[in-house]
Amino acid sequence: MIVAIDGPTASGKGTIAKKVAAHFNLPLLDTGLLYRAVGKTLLDDGGDADNEDDALAACGFDDALLDDDRLRDEDIGSLASRVSVHAAVRKALFERQQNFAYQDGGAVLDGRDIGTMIAPDADVKLFVTASPQVRAQRRHREMIARGRNVSEQQMLDDIKARDERDSGRRAAPLKPAQDAHLLDTTNLAIGDAVQQAIALIQKKLQNQT
Ligand code: DC
């Protein structure tokens, strides 16, 4: 079974993907980390995120980088969003994601274009959303817990800029697949959102058999 979980930043999709993968005993790929690794490599190499050649050169990152906690910082998220606009970058990361999705036994992937581009025939597609204000609150809490000194307004500005870039780009823009189930977590505790996601997947599986 392939489960595709897409949505904007801080919508809850990462936590939902983790819990869904654990529940169904499936391997998980957080595809945002790949773009974050490109962003971090580019930063270290002194490249320009808006230059396609520089961004492409940063795609050959070392896999050990994927475990670096620094990838989770907001400035790296923003760089990831900028490098992800380039078609050459998306192409360089495509096969790795698709191979993961179509491995024997199935997989869970979360990102922006899993249901539309990476695994268009996934068994279940979820599109997780929440209002920008609630997402900014969540991201702010997360950053404070990680000892980062940021304001909620800064988070809201970043989130809006990122939404606009991710949804407005030409290459694989952030949008729900036509057959995706929408899950709005604005007024949901994360535990309830996870339960709803699992129930949706279970229902879908029952309908398939
Ligand atoms: O999910 P995230 O916040 O870690 O993603 C960081 C950025 O990477 C996001 O703003 C856009 C890009 N991204 C993408 O374009 N496609 C994906 N499948 C995952 C992430």
Side-chain angles (χ1 to χ4, degrees):
M1 169 173 74
I2 302 176
V3 182
I5 303 183
D6 290 304
T9 193
S11 57
K13 70 178 183 338
T15 306
I16 292 173
K18 260 190 224 123
K19 301 281 185 186
V20 161
H23 182 89
F24 292 99
N25 201 18
L26 290 168
L28 167 68
L29 181 63
D30 170 356
T31 62
L33 278 182
L34 304 177
Y35 292 93
R36 285 170 181 263
V38 176
K40 169 75 165 60
T41 303
L42 184 130
L43 181 69
D44 294 345
D45 293 352
D48 172 6
D50 302 321
N51 179 293
E52 185 153 20
D53 291 336
D54 284 6
L56 181 61
C59 288
F61 57 82
D62 188 331
D63 273 9
L65 180 57
L66 296 172
D67 297 320
D68 187 344
D69 194 48
R70 172 81 174 94
L71 292 192
R72 304 195 182 269
D73 280 338
E74 197 52 33
D75 62 326
I76 301 296
S78 164
L79 277 172
S81 172
R82 283 167 61 193
V83 297
S84 73
V85 162
H86 304 301
V89 169
R90 308 202 69 83
K91 196 166 162 220
L93 300 179
F94 184 84
E95 197 172 292
R96 175 184 191 144
Q97 296 174 78
Q98 198 159 61
N99 288 345
F100 192 92
Y102 290 93
Q103 66 185 288
D104 288 346
V108 178
L109 291 89
D110 79 272
R112 301 289 187 290
D113 62 340
I114 310 303
T116 52
M117 302 295 290
I118 305 293
D121 55 355
D123 299 275
V124 189
K125 298 178 187 177
L126 296 181
F127 193 86
V128 186
T129 57
S131 73
Q133 286 73 18
V134 163
R135 289 191 282 131
Q137 272 170 17
R138 289 177 187 160
R139 181 50 53 83
H140 183 237
R141 256 184 261 134
E142 188 188 323
M143 288 298 151
I144 295 297
R146 295 185 58 224
R148 301 295 191 259
N149 183 21
V150 289
S151 72
E152 201 172 306
Q153 184 59 46
Q154 223 175 309
M155 292 298 92
L156 184 59
D157 293 345
D158 279 5
I159 278 176
K160 285 185 170 165
R162 205 118 81 80
D163 282 357
E164 214 172 285
R165 196 181 303 112
D166 294 351
S167 310
R169 68 182 178 217
R170 205 139 25 113
L174 167 68
K175 64 169 184 206
Q178 266 186 349
D179 50 348
H181 299 273
L182 296 188
L183 182 55
D184 187 335
T185 67
T186 305
N187 298 309
L188 283 180
I190 190 65
D192 294 334
V194 168
Q195 275 189 355
Q196 286 197 15
I198 290 174
L200 260 165
I201 296 167
Q202 248 148 9
K203 198 167 148 206
K204 183 84 201 225
L205 284 179
Q206 274 157 12
N207 290 345
Q208 270 183 359
T209 53

